[in-house]
Amino acid sequence: MSEKKRYMIGIDLGTTNSALAYVDTLDPDKNIQVLKVPQLIAPGEIEALDSLPSFLYLPDDNSVNSGKFDFNGQDDNSYCVGSYARKVASEQSSRVISSAKSWLCSAGQDPTSDFLPAIDDAEKKLSPLEAMTRYLRHLKNAWNTQVATSPDEYIDQQEVVLTVPASFNALARELTVMAAEACGIFPNLLEEPQAAFYSWIKENESNWREKVSADSSVLVVDIGGGTTDFSLIGVDDKDGNMELQRLAVGNHLLLGGDNMDFTLAYAMQQKLGKRLNSRQFSSLVHQCRQAKERILGSESLDKIDVTILGTGSSLIGGSLKTELTKEEVDQFIIQAFLPECDLNDTAQRQERSGLRSFGLNFESDAAISRHLAEFIKNNEKMPKTVLFNGGVTKASQLRERVSSIINSWSGEEIDVLADSNPDLAVAKGAAWYAFVRQGNSIRIKAGSALSYYVGLESSMPAMPGFAPPVDAICVIPQGTEDGTTFNIPIDDLALLVGEDSQFRFFCTNSRSEDELGSIIEDADLELDELPSLHKNLSLEEDEAPRLIPITMKAIFTEIGTVQVWGEAKSGEQKWRLEFDLGEEGKQV
């Protein structure tokens, strides 16, 4: 492999749509190009589109054997991803996987186990990790067959940047990297709001400095299919030079277009006056998504018919019909998800039932405006400028609503930065970042958006009915630059090796004051807990289990993941203490 790579590639692996953009370093203008991705739009019919819908269809064996889903460049023809998978989602919901990305950050469910589609009678199922891997593999094959002219230009030989939500925790980032590595791709990670801002910088390359105020901040509002991300990017004038720094990111909000689609589906079910079964309701959700996008994207469309097939022998005769109107979209989407609120309002976190049906852990408060108020209030910095990103914000009504709410808080009109295509901005921005990180242009200073902690159990005598308190050691302070290695400054640490044990991990975005080695008491109450790791750390053969004194090292890697290591004070043994999703360390 040549040391100098020709192509700088950015991949947006989205909840609803994925895309790939690139910069050819041999292009004198360094323009960002978007890869047209070949995909099935109907059995046997292929078309190259700007994006790849993040939907995966698992046809029955007869359909597979018929050759309808044979695809040049795809080794496994037992499935298809993209446009056709999205098209049949409303009719064959038990065979279509969607929103796989949202499961990577879902507590209490192993994202490496096969449970999607999350419908009981689904004949075939895959893990969220495998679904994401297959989207990436499709993009890889598209690049290798459409752009690369020799093995030296294959995607695994290029500089690749893969985007993630700013609020993704260490586990979700690790899983994203694992999906890429399963395809032979070894990427760097970039937060999606930053990618969107890089895209805007490139589009306004000649005058972007004139469009943002020095000593102010830019709010990036990223509302996608599965998540909502808020980021603040600071703009500083340092002796006449403009500097950018990511100041803050919001909580991981499982709140976006998917929630809107479910809301409309429940409203339509009420109109039908009948409780639908899981397959019918899943079909209704997909139809509501399509209808919502059409109504929000048109000034003249007032209503769209919705039809749900019946069950049993008379599918057509027993079908149910209703319509989604423009007024209902305004009521259940604009007014419900973006209600007017005060800057001091907070998100309403309701106590939930302990017994719930299986599904994603969506936010209990769907009011995006209240989450935004909380984010701005917590960071005590009213932005002067806003950049919208994500497919949901393509609708002008939603952008205008958010701007109006922010204006009511600040008392002055916020500047809106225009982007030509929110669907492609993240991929394009990632490609530009891959180029500028070689030292070619201005970079946003970032570092870790969260602080990370490892659980520490106190040495105490057994007490009937009382578990030992769980403290936690800060191993990655918030703001840590990627590529940083820390030696944790604590002497009296020991690892239990040779028998099954549990390691607990925590994170937060609200304790920027915590320093390396700080010990947080009652961590399970103060911090957000990540999935724990259950593992038997190996010893030499025939040695009895015991506590081994260690020093601890933490690494915030160049690609944006977290590693924690324990190294024996005497001897050369060392153990990786964090997310190991191989056979020896499955998450539970």
Side-chain angles (χ1 to χ4, degrees), residues 40-43 53 55-60 63 69 79-98 119 279 282-284 286-287 289-290 309:
L40 286 168
I41 60 171
F55 290 75
L56 189 151
Y57 177 50
L58 298 165
D60 59 48
S63 297
F69 299 98
Y79 69 94
C80 79
V81 299
S83 181
Y84 182 68
R86 174 172 172 160
K87 178 181 177 181
V88 299
S90 62
E91 305 158 10
Q92 302 188 53
S93 55
S94 64
R95 292 190 175 277
V96 176
I97 293 172
S98 61
I119 295 176
R279 187 174 297 197
S282 183
S283 171
L284 180 58
H286 287 295
Q287 287 196 62
R289 170 181 49 78
Q290 294 166 348
L309 294 178

Side-chain angles (χ1 to χ4, degrees), residues 44-252:
E45 188 176 347
I46 296 171
E47 187 174 335
L49 305 173
D50 281 345
S51 62
L52 179 75
S54 303
F55 290 75
L56 189 151
Y57 177 50
L58 298 165
D60 59 48
D61 292 339
N62 289 335
S63 297
V64 173
N65 294 333
S66 71
K68 293 178 181 178
F69 299 98
D70 290 353
F71 191 92
N72 184 33
Q74 182 170 296
D75 298 330
D76 182 357
N77 295 318
S78 65
Y79 69 94
C80 79
V81 299
S83 181
Y84 182 68
R86 174 172 172 160
K87 178 181 177 181
V88 299
S90 62
E91 305 158 10
Q92 302 188 53
S93 55
S94 64
R95 292 190 175 277
V96 176
I97 293 172
S98 61
S99 302
K101 180 178 177 179
S102 296
W103 289 97
L104 299 185
C105 236
S106 179
Q109 183 63 36
D110 179 3
T112 68
S113 64
D114 298 337
F115 60 85
L116 295 179
I119 295 176
D120 291 340
D121 62 350
E123 180 183 331
K124 301 177 181 179
K125 296 197 175 192
L126 297 175
S127 70
L129 177 61
E130 178 61 24
M132 301 297 281
T133 301
R134 294 190 183 192
Y135 301 146
L136 274 171
R137 188 172 292 126
H138 190 99
L139 292 172
K140 170 188 174 179
N141 292 339
W143 173 273
N144 289 349
T145 56
Q146 299 295 115
V147 179
T149 59
S150 67
D152 283 347
E153 294 181 356
Y154 283 172
I155 195 169
D156 57 301
Q157 305 295 309
Q158 310 309 311
E159 186 74 22
V160 179
V161 169
L162 188 57
T163 63
V164 293
S167 52
F168 250 16
N169 62 35
L171 174 60
R173 289 173 184 246
E174 186 89 5
L175 287 162
T176 305
V177 171
M178 286 178 64
E181 291 180 348
C183 301
I185 301 170
F186 298 90
N188 287 284
L189 299 185
L190 176 66
E191 295 168 9
E192 290 164 5
Q194 287 190 56
F197 196 71
Y198 276 114
S199 174
W200 177 82
I201 287 176
K202 173 58 176 173
E203 287 202 349
N204 297 272
E205 201 168 6
S206 62
N207 64 347
W208 70 266
R209 289 171 176 81
E210 301 166 13
K211 297 186 177 185
V212 293
S213 303
D215 303 319
S216 67
S217 62
V218 177
L219 169 68
V220 183
V221 175
D222 186 345
I223 308 176
T227 58
T228 291
D229 256 357
F230 304 128
S231 287
L232 274 180
I233 297 174
V235 183
D236 293 317
D237 186 345
K238 297 290 187 182
D239 300 323
N241 295 318
M242 199 77 85
E243 291 189 356
L244 303 172
Q245 181 171 11
R246 194 256 285 115
L247 303 175
V249 300
N251 294 322
H252 185 71

Side-chain angles (χ1 to χ4, degrees), residues 370-406:
R370 282 196 287 267
H371 290 284
L372 178 56
E374 198 170 66
F375 171 69
I376 292 176
K377 185 72 173 178
N378 288 343
N379 289 285
E380 301 177 348
K381 196 173 185 73
M382 181 61 67
K384 293 184 178 181
T385 312
V386 62
L387 174 65
F388 290 104
N389 188 58
V392 172
T393 66
K394 287 193 297 183
S396 59
Q397 304 98 305
L398 287 164
R399 296 195 304 272
E400 291 165 5
R401 180 75 168 188
V402 173
S403 300
S404 174
I405 290 170
I406 297 174

Side-chain angles (χ1 to χ4, degrees), residues 113 174 248 269 380 524 556 559 587:
S113 64
E174 186 89 5
Q269 181 176 246
E380 301 177 348
D524 50 344
F556 189 54
I559 60 173
Q587 298 292 337

